[in-house]
Amino acid sequence: MESKVITMKTLVLVSHPKATASATQTFLKTSADYLDNVTWRSIDDLYSATQINIVDEQKRLRAFDRIIFQFPMYWYTSPASLKQYMDDVFTRKFIVAKHWLKNKELGLVITLGDSLTDFQAGGRERFTISELMKPFEAFANKAGMVYLKSFIIDQFGYLDVLKKQELLVGYLQYLSAPMPLSLEKREKWLITRLKQLEAGKTAQQRELLDLIIDSIDSRQDQIDDLKLNIKMIRDQEE
């Protein structure tokens, strides 16, 4: 089974007043560096370095397929820099009149100091993250964007090595894999990444990677056969 090369371009807009001192943001930045089609941009650095150029920012946004707002949750919303960026860059002409962001994807990567289990009905915080992030969903709707399910990272400092490995894969998928992320899309994404890893590896390492790819391909073929058999059974029942 041949996997298509992923060409999606993703822009990560980070809103964090002390991103370089954040272990979570450092981990995510290092992870994102593995992907060639992802651009990382600090909103706080942008405002502190110079006066923001609205036209340049709008042109940059138009060049990407998926836009990610990444931030720690401060008092149930994003830090002030993201709100400032949205107020400055997302003009009514840009969003409503010209529809420049229409059909692009908008995702949120949100880091929490508290446990995610607190954010639910009956929990300490009472409201879910989805409920608290409704303004971003409303913005995506107004802009004609495809709003993705948020990627939540809670209590990063308590994660063990295995959980951080799982976080790494999940984060890279959120940045670059087709959404919604079905099992089939997840495996195709993984095969593409493994094939990219083969470059520069020894013959023995490439052989091992090929075995892993073949194993994933074989499992996908079995899933396809199962789907076909289920369809045939349903057709016979009808």
Side-chain angles (χ1 to χ4, degrees):
M1 182 183 298
E2 183 178 353
S3 297
K4 295 182 180 179
V5 177
I6 299 173
T7 57
M8 175 180 293
K9 295 180 64 178
T10 299
L11 174 64
V12 181
L13 291 171
V14 182
S15 174
H16 194 304
K18 298 180 180 179
T20 56
S22 166
T24 310
Q25 294 301 324
T26 300
F27 175 88
L28 297 177
K29 176 66 168 64
T30 303
S31 302
D33 287 343
Y34 282 99
L35 300 173
D36 295 331
N37 57 341
V38 171
T39 298
W40 181 282
R41 194 162 174 80
S42 169
I43 296 176
D44 295 81
D45 288 349
L46 178 67
Y47 276 99
S48 63
T50 182
Q51 184 175 0
I52 188 171
N53 188 311
I54 305 301
V55 175
D56 285 349
E57 288 302 311
Q58 292 175 343
K59 287 181 179 178
R60 180 175 289 105
L61 288 162
R62 291 169 56 188
F64 292 89
D65 307 296
R66 179 175 295 169
I67 298 169
I68 303 295
F69 293 161
Q70 182 168 299
F71 54 87
M73 191 168 69
Y74 285 2
W75 288 116
Y76 310 107
T77 187
S78 69
S81 60
L82 178 55
K83 180 61 166 64
Q84 185 66 55
Y85 183 91
M86 295 181 71
D87 288 347
D88 290 341
V89 178
F90 298 143
T91 62
R92 186 169 184 84
K93 179 180 179 181
F94 182 67
I95 297 298
V96 179
K98 296 294 185 180
H99 304 289
W100 285 125
L101 298 185
K102 186 175 182 180
N103 296 326
K104 295 183 183 295
E105 296 178 341
L106 176 64
L108 306 180
V109 174
I110 307 166
T111 61
L112 305 175
D114 297 318
S115 172
L116 182 58
T117 58
D118 290 342
F119 295 88
Q120 59 182 323
R124 288 198 311 168
E125 301 292 346
R126 296 184 58 187
F127 300 98
T128 66
I129 298 297
S130 294
E131 291 173 319
L132 296 172
M133 296 299 116
K134 282 295 182 183
F136 292 105
E137 186 175 359
F139 165 76
N141 176 68
K142 188 71 170 180
M145 304 179 76
V146 178
Y147 187 68
L148 305 179
K149 180 181 178 180
S150 298
F151 187 84
I152 312 298
I153 304 169
D154 63 324
Q155 298 185 312
F156 176 81
Y158 293 102
L159 299 182
D160 58 25
V161 173
L162 181 58
K163 289 295 184 182
K164 287 182 179 179
Q165 290 174 346
E166 294 175 355
L167 172 61
L168 168 65
V169 174
Y171 180 65
L172 295 182
Q173 288 176 334
Y174 193 75
L175 297 188
S176 63
M179 296 290 178
L181 193 59
S182 64
L183 177 60
E184 180 180 1
K185 289 179 180 178
R186 190 188 305 271
E187 292 189 342
K188 286 183 176 180
W189 177 90
L190 182 56
I191 290 173
T192 301
R193 299 272 80 80
L194 290 173
K195 287 183 175 179
Q196 291 175 346
L197 283 175
E198 287 185 330
K201 296 294 187 293
T202 65
Q204 185 177 5
Q205 290 172 327
R206 289 198 300 271
E207 183 178 354
L208 177 59
L209 287 171
D210 284 338
L211 287 174
I212 297 173
I213 291 171
D214 289 342
S215 174
I216 297 173
D217 270 338
S218 176
R219 183 170 58 184
Q220 186 58 54
D221 288 339
Q222 292 174 1
I223 293 174
D224 291 340
D225 290 341
L226 179 60
K227 288 180 179 178
L228 179 60
N229 290 333
I230 292 174
K231 183 179 184 304
M232 290 175 62
I233 292 173
R234 287 176 175 173
D235 289 344
Q236 290 174 359
E237 289 177 347
E238 293 176 356

